[in-house]
């Protein structure tokens, strides 16, 4: 009896495997049949390189075909799973080409946001991950960069993109008691830079201070 039950379980598992395999083969076959009926290549890949962009910036990416597009070109559908990244509804790979570019427009984000960009053609879907990044500090400068002790210099914090709707708080720290800076400076929403004052003390020798 035990051997018979084991045989029944084996047959059921085999049936499930064959059923799922048949479905996968059918889906793939439909995609290739559609490509054959269309008389052209199918979708090979969508590439996002680099795979990260600062929120608020636009980026150009590519879709690739398995072969050369025929006369009239091939229309490829596009989709973004996030409202922070928008793409055209579709693009056309021109005749004689194996790829074409499209633009991804992103929104300013308050935190690093993952997103998937997909392209589809004749039932074949290709996807690639995109990371929309929060703007970060790209540089810090002072004007003037050299002053007499006791004077004040204006510092500028520069971001690599726009600050989100609540602004970006940048922490400041002086490398010496001879220079005083505020504990932080706020880059206003939509702006990419902010200024602050660095106050110095009188010195007896030239000093180079890091902030």
């Amino acid at each position: 009896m035990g051997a018979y039950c084991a045989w029944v379980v084996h047959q059921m598992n085999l049936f499930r495997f064959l059923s799922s395999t048949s479905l996968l083969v059918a889906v793939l076959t439909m995609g290739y049949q559609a490509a054959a009926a269309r008389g052209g290549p199918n979708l090979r890949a969508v590439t996002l390189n680099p795979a990260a962009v600062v929120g608020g910036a636009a980026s150009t990416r590519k879709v690739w075909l398995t072969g050369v597009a025929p006369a009239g070109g091939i229309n490829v559908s596009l989709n973004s799973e996030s409202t922070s990244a928008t793409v055209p509804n579709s693009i056309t790979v021109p005749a004689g080409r194996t790829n074409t570019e499209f633009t991804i427009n992103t929104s300013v984000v308050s935190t690093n946001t993952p997103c998937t960009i997909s392209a589809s053609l004749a039932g074949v879907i290709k996807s690639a991950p995109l990371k929309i990044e929060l703007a970060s500090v790209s540089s810090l400068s002072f004007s003037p960069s050299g002053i007499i002790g006791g004077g004040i210099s204006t510092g500028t914090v520069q971001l690599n993109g726009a600050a989100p709707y609540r602004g970006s708080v940048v922490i400041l720290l002086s490398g010496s008691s001879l220079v005083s800076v505020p504990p932080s400076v706020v880059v206003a929403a939509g702006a990419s830079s902010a200024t602050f004052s660095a106050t110095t003390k009188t010195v007896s020798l030239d000093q180079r201070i890091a902030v």
Side-chain angles (χ1 to χ4, degrees), residues 36-196:
R38 193 182 62 247
N42 217 315
L43 190 63
R44 187 181 77 179
V46 52
T47 56
L48 309 179
N49 186 23
V53 61
V54 177
S59 181
T60 301
R61 300 297 188 259
K62 285 185 177 182
V63 292
W64 296 80
L65 302 178
T66 56
V68 176
I74 290 182
N75 195 57
V76 179
S77 298
L78 299 175
N79 180 66
S80 169
E81 69 168 14
S82 172
T83 56
S84 296
T86 58
V87 296
N89 291 329
S90 64
I91 53 171
T92 299
V93 181
R97 295 276 302 277
T98 59
N99 65 81
T100 192
E101 296 181 339
F102 64 96
T103 300
I104 303 173
N105 292 304
T106 64
S107 304
V108 175
V109 293
S110 56
T111 185
N112 290 340
T113 304
C115 173
T116 298
I117 304 298
S118 302
S120 61
L121 174 63
V124 176
I125 301 175
K126 299 295 182 180
S127 302
L130 175 68
K131 183 180 180 182
I132 307 171
E133 298 181 333
L134 173 67
S136 59
V137 176
S138 60
S139 67
L140 172 63
S141 60
F142 287 92
S143 179
S145 57
I147 61 173
I148 297 174
I152 297 176
S153 180
T154 299
T156 300
V157 172
Q158 184 70 46
L159 304 182
N160 60 356
Y165 72 100
R166 290 182 179 177
S168 292
V169 179
V170 179
I171 305 301
L172 300 175
L173 181 64
S174 172
S176 171
S177 60
L178 297 175
V179 178
S180 298
V181 296
S184 64
V185 62
V186 177
V187 181
S192 58
S193 65
T195 60
F196 63 93

